[in-house]
Amino acid sequence: IVSRDWSSDVCSSDLAGDINGVLDLLISNAKGLKLGPKKGETGAVKAYAERQSILSKFVNQFLARALSRIQFTSTVVMDPKNAVIQRLQQEGKLAEYDPKTDTFYFTEQGMDEATVLHEIVHAGTVKLINQYLTNPASLSTDQREAMEHLEKIFDFAKKKLGGRYKNAFENLYEFMGYALTDSRFQEIG
């Protein structure tokens, strides 16, 4: 789960068993994204890339810690024969969270730290966003104001950047997932 450096049997056994266990693992052992330095980079560029990689590790640990408070009861599907997994592979997607069935679907290629956290962010935020979009009166004043602010940020960013990162602006759910887990998306603009 933590990075593509992990053996696939660790990823599969941890994910297949329990999303909460995966979060515990990430809290203590997140690796973050390997953003560099790239071959030939030196000086300030190299130092910047190294700092970004380290920061990514701490952000992922923070996200895992925050999400671990939820205590998920979700189902995890990784079977390559599963129809949803096959559809994801045909569409070139790594993973998907289905809020209707509370199920995570991970392709073999989606078994990495960033993808797993991205989908767990969906699971952790989907209920609140859904309440906001369908019944905002059911939220507390603070929750409603936070969601209104988030929607304004989404609308502003989509106008400025929507053409450059289409998946992130598909909807408010995807925006939250990308904003919290994708360092490339966080740096655009």
Side-chain angles (χ1 to χ4, degrees):
I1 301 304
V2 173
S3 75
R4 295 202 191 273
D5 294 337
W6 276 39
S7 66
S8 60
D9 58 339
V10 172
C11 294
S12 297
S13 64
D14 287 335
L15 249 183
D18 180 18
I19 286 291
N20 300 303
V22 171
L23 288 170
D24 289 341
L25 189 61
L26 290 172
I27 289 167
S28 62
N29 200 22
K31 302 276 191 249
L33 298 174
K34 292 183 178 28
L35 301 172
K38 294 182 176 102
K39 188 176 180 178
E41 289 181 335
T42 60
V45 172
K46 179 180 179 180
Y48 176 76
E50 289 169 343
R51 284 194 302 274
Q52 287 296 99
S53 292
I54 292 167
L55 180 60
S56 168
K57 170 185 174 173
F58 293 119
V59 167
N60 287 356
Q61 286 175 323
F62 172 81
L63 270 175
R65 191 171 288 109
L67 290 165
S68 71
R69 295 180 183 152
I70 295 174
Q71 292 302 307
F72 294 93
T73 57
S74 311
T75 302
V76 178
V77 176
M78 298 176 299
D79 180 1
K81 295 176 183 171
N82 178 278
V84 174
I85 299 293
Q86 290 178 352
R87 176 183 53 79
L88 291 172
Q89 289 173 325
Q90 288 174 344
E91 294 173 357
K93 294 183 178 178
L94 301 174
E96 179 176 282
Y97 172 71
D98 182 348
K100 293 176 182 156
T101 62
D102 192 21
T103 303
F104 292 95
Y105 295 92
F106 292 99
T107 65
E108 185 177 337
Q109 296 79 18
M111 299 294 293
D112 64 86
E113 185 174 306
T115 303
V116 170
L117 276 174
H118 178 95
E119 296 307 324
I120 297 173
V121 164
H122 282 308
T125 59
V126 73
K127 182 177 179 182
L128 186 63
I129 293 172
N130 189 50
Q131 281 181 279
Y132 172 71
L133 295 175
T134 60
N135 186 12
S138 68
L139 300 174
S140 71
T141 302
D142 288 343
Q143 289 173 322
R144 193 170 41 258
E145 287 174 359
M147 292 304 301
E148 288 168 356
H149 186 69
L150 178 62
E151 192 169 43
K152 287 178 187 175
I153 293 169
F154 170 78
D155 290 338
F156 177 79
K158 185 175 183 176
K159 286 177 191 169
K160 298 284 185 186
L161 306 168
R164 292 175 55 194
Y165 223 94
K166 293 184 189 304
N167 291 345
F169 294 103
E170 192 175 310
N171 55 48
L172 198 53
Y173 302 102
E174 287 300 323
F175 180 72
M176 282 297 297
Y178 278 91
L180 291 173
T181 64
D182 192 314
S183 63
R184 294 171 306 240
F185 177 70
Q186 294 163 356
E187 290 182 2
I188 63 173

